[in-house]
Amino acid sequence: MKDRIVCERYAGALLNVAKKREEAERVFEEMVFLKKVLHGNLTLRRFLESPHITQEDKTSFIKRVFGEAVTGTAMTFLLLLVRKYRLKSLSEIIDAYEKLYDVEMSVQRTEVITAYPLDDAAAGKLRTAVETAMGKSVKMCFSIDPQILGGVVIKTPNLIIDGSIRRKLRDLSYSIMALKV
C-alpha cells in the first residue's frame, strides 16, 4: 500500500513537470520504452536495483546509456530516482504514470479477450464500436483465451461485457436446467 502511494506520487510529479514543459506525450513514450527495456533485460534491472552498486556508478551508467534516448525531463527524473534510492520501483512508477497519463488524456484502458487473434480490420471495427459505446478514446490490450470458444469479452475498470460463446452456452444450460418438465 505504502509503495503504491509513493509510486503514484512520483508518477504524478513527473506528469506535472512534463505537462508544464509540454512534453507529457514524449515522456510517456520514453517511460514505455524504459519499461520495455527493463522487462527485456534482467541483468540491467538487477544492476539498477542492486544496493551494492554505488549511486555514482548508477548515475554515470544511466547518463551514458540513456543520455541520447530520453529527454532532459526523463533523465532528470531517473537521476532523482537514483538519489532517492527508488530505482527498484521504476516499473511500478511507470505503470502509475501510464494510468495518470491515460486519465489526463481521457483514454479508457480496455482489455479485449478473444478466442483467436483478430486481424487489423476486425480490431479497428471493434475499437470504433467500443469508443462509440463508451464515448471516449480507448487503449485496447488484446489477449487470447481459447476457452471462451468464440465471441469477445471486453473489460474496463468498471464494466465487463461478456459476449463469449462460453457465456452464452452457460446461460443456455441454466435456462434448460430451470425448465420444469
Side-chain angles (χ1 to χ4, degrees):
M1 177 71 163
K2 183 179 175 185
D3 287 340
R4 182 182 55 83
I5 292 170
V6 169
C7 291
E8 288 173 356
R9 286 190 180 161
Y10 275 94
L14 176 60
L15 182 60
N16 287 336
V17 170
K19 283 186 341 189
K20 285 179 184 173
R21 295 180 180 177
E22 298 180 359
E23 297 177 332
E25 184 176 357
R26 172 75 192 256
V27 170
F28 173 79
E29 292 167 0
E30 291 171 350
M31 292 296 117
V32 170
F33 164 74
L34 287 171
K35 185 176 173 182
K36 286 180 185 175
V37 169
L38 287 174
H39 285 284
N41 192 332
L42 181 62
T43 306
L44 173 64
R45 195 167 62 240
R46 284 185 181 158
F47 174 82
L48 294 175
E49 294 174 359
S50 174
H52 304 294
I53 309 294
T54 65
Q55 283 185 313
E56 294 79 23
D57 289 341
K58 290 178 185 180
T59 299
S60 65
F61 177 81
I62 288 171
K63 286 179 179 177
R64 190 174 63 243
V65 172
F66 297 113
E68 300 295 321
V70 298
T71 60
T73 302
M75 179 59 70
T76 302
F77 182 72
L78 288 172
L79 298 178
L80 173 71
L81 294 180
V82 171
R83 281 195 315 275
K84 298 292 186 176
Y85 299 96
R86 295 284 184 194
L87 272 179
K88 71 177 186 171
S89 300
L90 181 57
S91 289
E92 291 81 12
I93 292 169
I94 292 171
D95 288 341
Y97 183 86
E98 289 176 331
K99 289 176 184 171
L100 291 172
Y101 179 82
D102 287 346
V103 168
E104 186 71 27
M105 297 296 139
S106 298
V107 174
Q108 176 69 55
R109 288 175 174 255
T110 306
E111 181 183 1
V112 177
I113 304 167
T114 58
Y116 56 89
L118 297 178
D119 61 19
D120 291 341
K125 287 180 183 177
L126 183 60
R127 175 183 306 282
T128 302
V130 171
E131 287 178 342
T132 301
M134 299 186 84
K136 60 171 81 173
S137 177
V138 296
K139 181 184 285 185
M140 300 178 92
C141 300
F142 291 92
S143 61
I144 307 301
D145 181 2
Q147 293 183 356
I148 70 167
L149 303 175
V152 64
V153 177
I154 300 170
K155 295 181 179 180
T156 67
N158 55 1
L159 177 68
I160 297 176
I161 301 170
D162 189 346
S164 67
I165 301 296
R166 177 179 62 188
R167 186 198 52 92
K168 290 178 182 180
L169 289 172
R170 188 179 333 119
D171 290 351
L172 181 62
S173 170
Y174 291 150
S175 297
I176 290 172
M177 287 190 291
L179 289 176
K180 295 185 181 184
V181 181

